[in-house]
Amino acid sequence: MLHATTDPEGVVFLRLARTVAGRPLYRGGAYLLGNVLLDCGPPATAREVLAWLGGRTVDALLVTHHHEDHSGGAALLLDRRGLAPHIHASGVGLLARGYPIQLYRRLVWGRPRHVEARPLPPVVDTGGVRLEVVETPGHSPDHVCFYDRSRGWLFTGDLFLGERQRYLREDEDLEQIIASLRVATALPLERVFCAHRGPLREGPAALRRRLDHLTSVRDQARDLMARGVPDAEVARRVVGPEGPLTWISGGRFSTLNFVKSLRR
Ligand SMILES: [Zn+2]
């Protein structure tokens, strides 16, 4: 499924999802800003993105991080449109050689093909836009945001996702996410664009609320840990009980991962 919306300021958001019996599974997204494509969605929707691009001019493909729901369409876009993905230097090898993807993720997103990517420069100035690359690791080591300083627009990939994060991935680093949110919220911001939710309403305030929430989770968890409360109990009291995604993902997403991340 591909659903494109253009907001009054000309930013195109492509909402992308694999559908089963006509119903979308988990949704992802990509943006077209000027002639620059920011993320390109999962393997499962690569042909739809290619078809939608049609005769449009695209000068560059920038990806926020290597996860397959953001970069999975890149191999097809390189083959058919000559668009090499640009990614943080630490993600180049992951796209070239591949990385482990669990079955449930392959079912939702499809299996990405390996692709030769190029490292992002500090500033991308092409296709009618000028974007600064802001390193924001934590969700993944190679995660970046793209910042249009002249307009105060921040494209946040998976840095936002929601004000109250229910689960942490096993490979996410809570302290790094908090540090990255501090960097992002310190920028002069007018608008925030989430890869999964689209353009956010009152985005800068929402991003600050997410920072405050995660900081509070971290501080409460550290306090309970220092008092010797068992990890699972800390997670339950600070974040909440585990839910269906914990079981579906075999624990790769869980509330316990918040505490495990602080123990590393
Ligand atoms: Zn991600």
Side-chain angles (χ1 to χ4, degrees), residues 146-221:
F146 298 110
Y147 181 50
D148 179 338
R149 187 174 291 273
S150 69
R151 293 185 281 201
W153 291 1
L154 189 67
F155 293 84
T156 53
D158 281 353
L159 180 64
F160 178 75
L161 295 178
E163 287 184 25
R164 288 175 170 263
Q165 185 168 351
R166 182 77 178 71
Y167 303 97
L168 202 74
R169 284 168 61 115
E170 64 180 347
D171 54 355
E172 281 183 305
D173 184 319
L174 180 57
E175 291 285 12
Q176 273 194 341
I177 294 173
I178 290 170
S180 290
L181 283 164
R182 285 195 190 289
V183 169
T185 53
L187 297 167
L189 293 181
E190 294 293 331
R191 301 189 67 193
V192 175
F193 299 83
C194 174
H196 289 272
R197 297 187 170 221
L200 299 178
R201 276 185 49 205
E202 298 174 8
L207 204 58
R208 277 194 298 277
R209 286 195 293 270
R210 167 157 162 80
L211 169 61
D212 291 345
H213 175 67
L214 280 187
T215 304
S216 156
V217 164
R218 191 260 325 262
D219 292 348
Q220 288 177 59

Side-chain angles (χ1 to χ4, degrees), residues 227-241:
R227 289 197 269 145
V229 177
D231 287 1
E233 177 67 10
V234 173
R236 194 187 63 72
R237 282 162 63 174
V238 175
V239 189

Side-chain angles (χ1 to χ4, degrees), residues 13 21 34 43 47 64 75 81 83 111 128 144 150 173 201 235:
F13 178 55
R47 291 191 178 282
T64 53
R81 297 288 301 245
L83 281 171
R111 185 199 288 270
V144 302
S150 69
D173 184 319
R201 276 185 49 205

Side-chain angles (χ1 to χ4, degrees), residues 65 67 69-70 139 158 169:
H65 61 301
H67 290 161
D69 49 328
H70 298 258
H139 172 72
D158 281 353
R169 284 168 61 115

Side-chain angles (χ1 to χ4, degrees), residues 15 26 28 40 55 58 62 68 101 114 138 154 187 229 231 252:
R15 189 176 282 289
Y26 195 70
C40 55
V58 182
L62 315 180
E68 71 279 12
I101 301 179
H114 299 178
L154 189 67
L187 297 167
V229 177
D231 287 1
R252 290 186 175 87

